[in-house]
Amino acid sequence: MTSHAETVNGELPHEPEKATLEGRNKILSFWLFLGGEAVLFGTLFATFLALRNQTNDGPTANELFQLPMTAAATLILLVSSLTSVFAIQAMHKHKVAALRVWLMVTVVLGLGFLGLEIYEFAEYVTAEKFGMTTSAFSSAFYTLVGFHGAHVAFGVLWISVLIGQLYKKGLTVVTAPKVYVSAMYWHFIDVVWVFIFTVVYLLGKVG
Amino acid sequence: MSVDQHADHDVIKHRHRSEGPQKHIIVFIFSIILTVIAFATVAAGGVNATFTVILLLIMAILQVFMQLGYWMHLKDKGHLMPILFMIFGFFVAGTAVIMALYWVWW
């Protein structure tokens, strides 16, 4: 590992997020958190899979879902995952301006995804009469997909605050682990979405 | 602010290599291809349902493995504990899913 002397000298090591024990511990414990998140989403997926055919004479998955909208949301989130990779690569090259720009692009794409999801839910509730209490299927759907959307919203807020902190404090061995961990979180959100568009939307269309 | 704008000279001494974006762009393109295969199979319809379900799950799992491995660096050295955390998380999640699929309406 990089010696501490370099950080004392005011020179940032190549991977500033792993330069301190605190930084490495943050990353390690964030993986433990993501393991817990996998359990959380796993139980929501399990609930959804158990209830997805209990439509109580309300709309079914096949009637409801529009593949182009899901494809657009998928593309947005996938691109935003790539832009957060670019953010971390800029951080490793100590290019703070580029890091901030890539984080901003990620936030904007996250907002785009949220906008699409809010539009989708509003459409279901008003035009399709598919509310939270319509059926066991609708409750399970809104809980699972809404929980993922809430994660995206939290990620957008979190990364926005980090951009502000980068303006205020710059890139240091203290701010770098925060940025790295938020990027891990963002990738994990995309990983969960891969399961959502497969299990909820595509399998919903197949029946 | 301790930002080093002259990063070039201190990189050379370290065993770290500055990785380029190529690898990540390849993962991105693969993810797009796997996603397009999944959506196209469903959109085309008429394909055997069991086959479609298996294909969709394979596409999803491949994409998840690539993103965990490359974008989240799980394939890099020194990631034994993170891999164990994730395996344990997915094991519990998988147990819940199997329970829901096979026992709830038994």
Side-chain angles (χ1 to χ4, degrees):
Chain A
M1 266 298 141
T2 325
S3 70
H4 276 84
E6 291 183 18
T7 54
V8 174
N9 288 341
E11 268 187 43
L12 212 53
H14 171 66
E15 292 183 334
E17 77 277 9
K18 289 173 187 149
T20 63
L21 180 62
E22 187 182 332
R24 291 195 292 277
N25 282 346
K26 264 185 190 164
I27 294 168
L28 180 64
S29 48
F30 201 79
W31 277 109
L32 187 59
F33 166 74
L34 288 184
E37 288 273 276
V39 174
L40 169 74
F41 278 105
T43 52
L44 291 175
F45 272 107
T47 310
F48 176 82
L49 285 166
L51 300 175
R52 73 192 192 104
N53 293 320
Q54 314 301 311
T55 51
N56 193 26
D57 294 333
T60 65
N62 197 11
E63 292 161 2
L64 216 50
F65 298 148
Q66 307 291 330
L67 284 187
M69 185 131 78
T70 312
T74 303
L75 184 66
I76 290 174
L77 213 56
L78 190 60
V79 172
S80 81
S81 211
L82 183 68
T83 57
S84 74
V85 168
F86 290 159
I88 296 303
Q89 291 197 319
M91 183 176 88
H92 286 162
K93 288 175 184 146
H94 305 165
K95 291 178 179 163
V96 196
L99 165 61
R100 279 195 299 252
V101 169
W102 284 121
L103 289 180
M104 283 176 204
V105 174
T106 307
V107 164
V108 169
L109 289 168
L111 285 173
F113 176 88
L114 276 180
L116 210 55
E117 185 153 281
I118 291 167
Y119 170 77
E120 179 193 351
F121 282 10
E123 196 75 352
Y124 290 168
V125 172
T126 53
E128 311 280 350
K129 301 274 170 276
F130 184 72
M132 184 74 182
T133 55
T134 304
S135 61
F137 163 59
S138 79
S139 308
F141 169 80
Y142 283 121
T143 309
L144 171 59
V145 182
F147 230 86
H148 175 269
H151 273 74
V152 175
F154 180 78
V156 164
L157 277 178
W158 183 8
I159 296 173
S160 304
V161 171
L162 285 179
I163 293 169
Q165 206 169 44
L166 282 172
Y167 270 111
K168 207 175 164 200
K169 302 186 174 176
L171 183 62
T172 67
V173 290
V174 178
T175 51
K178 302 180 186 190
V179 175
Y180 190 83
V181 156
S182 75
M184 283 169 62
Y185 175 83
W186 197 258
H187 290 314
F188 186 76
I189 284 176
D190 186 41
V191 164
V192 172
W193 180 255
V194 171
F195 283 117
I196 289 184
F197 83 67
T198 303
V199 171
V200 176
Y201 291 93
L202 293 182
L203 290 187
K205 277 289 180 189
V206 175
Chain B
M1 215 158 83
S2 60
V3 177
D4 183 9
Q5 294 293 358
H6 313 283
D8 307 346
H9 67 88
D10 77 329
V11 173
I12 304 155
K13 280 198 287 187
H14 301 307
R15 60 193 169 81
H16 300 291
R17 69 277 174 267
S18 258
E19 54 172 23
Q22 299 90 342
K23 190 171 76 174
H24 296 295
I25 290 170
I26 291 171
V27 172
F28 176 76
I29 292 169
F30 263 107
S31 296
I32 292 276
I33 292 172
L34 294 171
T35 306
V36 167
I37 292 174
F39 273 87
T41 311
V42 174
V47 190
N48 177 294
T50 317
F51 174 78
T52 311
V53 171
I54 294 169
L55 182 80
L56 289 179
L57 291 179
I58 292 172
M59 295 299 120
I61 290 166
L62 275 180
Q63 186 168 337
V64 163
F65 264 92
M66 287 206 325
Q67 294 187 10
L68 284 173
Y70 286 90
W71 286 357
M72 299 177 78
H73 299 282
L74 272 189
K75 64 149 197 54
D76 292 359
K77 275 185 202 160
H79 279 74
L80 178 63
M81 288 313 283
I83 288 170
L84 289 180
F85 293 161
M86 290 315 279
I87 288 176
F88 192 65
F90 277 113
F91 174 75
V92 177
T95 309
V97 167
I98 288 167
M99 177 278 296
L101 280 177
Y102 297 105
W103 289 350
V104 170
W105 305 110
W106 195 17

